[in-house]
Amino acid sequence: MPIAVDIDVMLARRKMSVGELADRVGITPANLAVLKNGRAKAVRFATLAALCEVLECQPGDLLRWETEGADTAVG
């Protein structure tokens, strides 16, 4: 999938747990895990907006495009 999800990066920057983020956004921790691990097939704009509001970031801070076969390590 050429779309990489960097929710973990923003969680670390905000010193927030997955459980706290899920609670504040209004989704289950399981659904947040699917999204943050890059296994989601889609994300609703309302969910993306809520993530950005809680994490005080822009959508581009959470999602990025990378070419197929690119190294997915963030660092």
Side-chain angles (χ1 to χ4, degrees), residues 27-47:
I27 61 176
T28 66
N31 283 341
L32 182 56
V34 167
L35 179 59
K36 79 180 193 69
N37 293 324
R39 295 190 317 260
K41 299 293 181 196
V43 60
R44 292 181 178 176
F45 282 160
T47 302

Side-chain angles (χ1 to χ4, degrees), residues 15-70:
K15 296 178 174 64
M16 187 180 299
S17 70
V18 172
E20 180 183 354
L21 179 60
D23 187 51
R24 291 178 62 184
V25 169
I27 61 176
T28 66
N31 283 341
L32 182 56
V34 167
L35 179 59
K36 79 180 193 69
N37 293 324
R39 295 190 317 260
K41 299 293 181 196
V43 60
R44 292 181 178 176
F45 282 160
T47 302
L48 183 58
L51 287 166
C52 290
E53 182 177 357
V54 171
L55 292 170
E56 298 177 354
C57 67
Q58 294 294 314
D61 296 325
L62 301 177
L63 303 172
R64 65 186 155 81
W65 178 84
E66 38 181 57
T67 58
E68 292 289 338

